[in-house]
Amino acid sequence: PTRIQKLFTGGGFNLSYNEKYEPLVLEIPATAKRVEVVAHISGHGWGKDIENCAEFCNHTHHFTVNGTEYSHDHPWVGNTYGCAEQVTEGTVPNQFGTWTIGRSGWCPGKEVVPFIADVTGSVSPGDSATIEYKGLFDGKDYEPVTNPNGNAGGFGANIWMESWLVIYE
């Protein structure tokens, strides 16, 4: 890679989550050979809302480059042994509590594996590219519903995310 351009960051996951994301227009150098969107995304928060977001819900992340969408989800959420099944990939086993349960983008002790989308086919070297982002739950903006039996030690939904446009020459 010869250039890295910061794109979007996460934050509190609720109805206003997507309001802060304006489309970005970035120049793609004429010498670009490959272009990727790279993002580290993990969900945190549990015990406050019915969906137990964002740690234990399958939120999706949608990056659109010049009209073509690239999306990332967390299919292991809801699997009682989703993190236990990833011990050979770095999850630290035999912790107390809920360490075995699949989470949104992370497991205890394991690295957050980056989402990497090759967007080369959606850009034209020497031209600008418009990049958009949104985070969703069940295909729409997330509206937390307070759990009347919530956990006093829990906390609200939050998406930890850093994303970049990476250009290779």
Side-chain angles (χ1 to χ4, degrees):
T2 57
R3 292 188 191 184
I4 297 175
Q5 173 69 47
K6 184 127 180 172
L7 296 176
F8 308 99
T9 60
F13 193 47
N14 51 43
L15 277 177
S16 63
Y17 178 77
N18 290 311
E19 291 175 4
K20 63 185 171 281
Y21 302 116
E22 295 293 325
L24 300 174
V25 178
L26 303 174
E27 296 301 317
I28 306 300
T31 54
K33 302 290 186 234
R34 179 179 173 95
V35 181
E36 296 174 335
V37 169
V38 176
H40 281 97
I41 305 168
S42 60
H44 304 270
W46 59 275
K48 291 294 182 188
D49 58 73
I50 296 290
E51 296 297 340
N52 230 0
C53 269
E55 189 166 331
F56 298 106
C57 72
N58 188 8
H59 40 87
T60 59
H61 301 272
H62 307 263
F63 295 87
T64 303
V65 180
N66 288 337
T68 301
E69 184 177 276
Y70 301 86
S71 62
H72 177 62
D73 68 348
H74 307 282
W76 49 88
V77 170
N79 179 340
T80 303
Y81 299 103
C83 284
E85 292 171 358
Q86 297 179 58
V87 167
T88 59
E89 298 169 29
T91 297
V92 176
N94 303 321
Q95 298 183 38
F96 293 99
T98 63
W99 78 270
T100 62
I101 300 172
R103 290 171 167 77
S104 295
W106 67 280
C107 288
K110 184 176 184 271
E111 70 183 284
V112 174
V113 177
F115 165 68
I116 301 173
D118 181 351
V119 302
T120 307
S122 298
V123 300
S124 297
D127 286 335
S128 61
T130 301
I131 303 168
E132 300 170 83
Y133 165 76
K134 61 185 171 185
L136 304 173
F137 176 69
D138 280 345
K140 57 185 185 269
D141 289 338
Y142 180 58
E143 183 173 5
V145 176
T146 301
N147 185 342
N149 302 312
N151 187 313
F155 55 97
N158 198 292
I159 303 296
W160 294 2
M161 179 182 70
E162 297 291 334
S163 63
W164 306 268
L165 187 70
V166 180
I167 298 171
Y168 297 79
E169 294 184 32

